[in-house]
Structure formats: structure tokens, C-alpha cells
Amino acid sequence: MSCDCNEFQNLTANLQLLNKSILDIVTKLDEQTSMLNRAVFKSATHCGCIEIHATKQLYSPSKTLEENQLDLDTHIEGTLCPKCRDKIEEEMGELLFYIASMCEALDLDFESIMAKKFDHLKTLGIYNLL
Ligand SMILES: [Zn+2]
């Protein structure tokens, strides 16, 4: 099953009933971000399919950005089990729903925002985050 961003935004707009106000959308987006973060952490703390071992990221000034990138760590060990994967995907989907809702409320185009960011990432590559 696939969908494009315009279809997603249009369907989101058609399903907006309770959270049409920008105030509701902003607060739901914030709440949903927390729900997603919680699902990620519960994969480690409740399920245990992944472990999070955070340590300081080491950047070497003598290495290139690309070389440093290879040394960086996600701090995640293990892989998501099917149940945790489903939960995180569900929460990410909800987050996208509220982002699309915000686009609709502000008369912005979800797809062109993604396309603009895609071009930006392609142009700047690894340097886009500096
Ligand atoms: Zn799990």
C-alpha cells in the first residue's frame, strides 16, 4: 500500500473534526511527539528488545566530517521486536497526521515541504546540519 503526500494531506483535512483549531493541532503535535518518544523508550525499559547505552560522541578534529560520521553511534543495541516496531510506526503515523493537519490549517503543502527539504539535503549533504 502506498500513498502520496497530497493524498495524505487531503484525507487528513477531510478527517479533521475535533482538532481543527491550530491551538489543538499544536498541542496534539506536542503530545504526539511525547507519545512517540515514550514508545521508543518503552522498547528498552519495558520490552527490552533494544538497549540504549549512551556515551559521549567523539569527534576528532583531525578527521573529515565523513570519517567522523562513521564513528558516531546510535547508542542502540539490538533490534525492535515486531510489537515495538508496530507501536513506534503507529505513533509516527499519528505524528505525521498532526503535521499534515498543521499544513492544512496553515495552507501549506506537505509534499512541497518534503521536496524542498529533500533538495536541501541533496545539495548540502552532510553539511546541512552544521
Ligand atoms: Zn520490543
Side-chain angles (χ1 to χ4, degrees), residues 17-93:
L17 283 174
L18 297 175
N19 299 308
K20 191 137 184 158
S21 163
I22 188 66
L23 296 174
D24 291 326
I25 293 168
V26 168
T27 54
K28 289 298 282 183
L29 188 60
D30 190 40
E31 184 180 277
Q32 191 54 45
T33 302
S34 295
M35 300 279 283
L36 173 59
N37 292 342
R38 183 170 169 74
V40 170
F41 297 146
K42 282 181 85 170
S43 298
T45 59
H46 287 226
C47 177
C49 59
I50 61 169
E51 295 180 5
I52 300 169
H53 298 278
T55 55
K56 182 178 179 182
Q57 302 276 22
L58 298 175
Y59 302 93
S60 172
S62 63
K63 291 182 176 178
T64 65
L65 278 176
E66 289 81 3
E67 288 169 338
N68 272 307
Q69 187 185 32
L70 293 173
D71 293 337
L72 299 177
D73 194 342
T74 63
H75 297 142
I76 299 170
E77 290 179 16
T79 54
L80 292 172
C81 70
K83 189 177 170 195
C84 291
R85 176 180 293 275
D86 284 351
K87 181 66 178 164
I88 290 169
E89 286 178 349
E90 178 189 325
E91 300 297 355
M92 274 187 188

Side-chain angles (χ1 to χ4, degrees), residues 83-114:
K83 189 177 170 195
C84 291
R85 176 180 293 275
D86 284 351
K87 181 66 178 164
I88 290 169
E89 286 178 349
E90 178 189 325
E91 300 297 355
M92 274 187 188
E94 288 292 317
L95 193 63
L96 292 175
F97 175 81
Y98 290 114
I99 288 174
S101 298
M102 183 180 276
C103 288
E104 193 63 23
L106 295 170
D107 197 25
L108 300 172
D109 184 62
F110 194 22
E111 188 160 279
S112 69
I113 292 168
M114 278 187 67

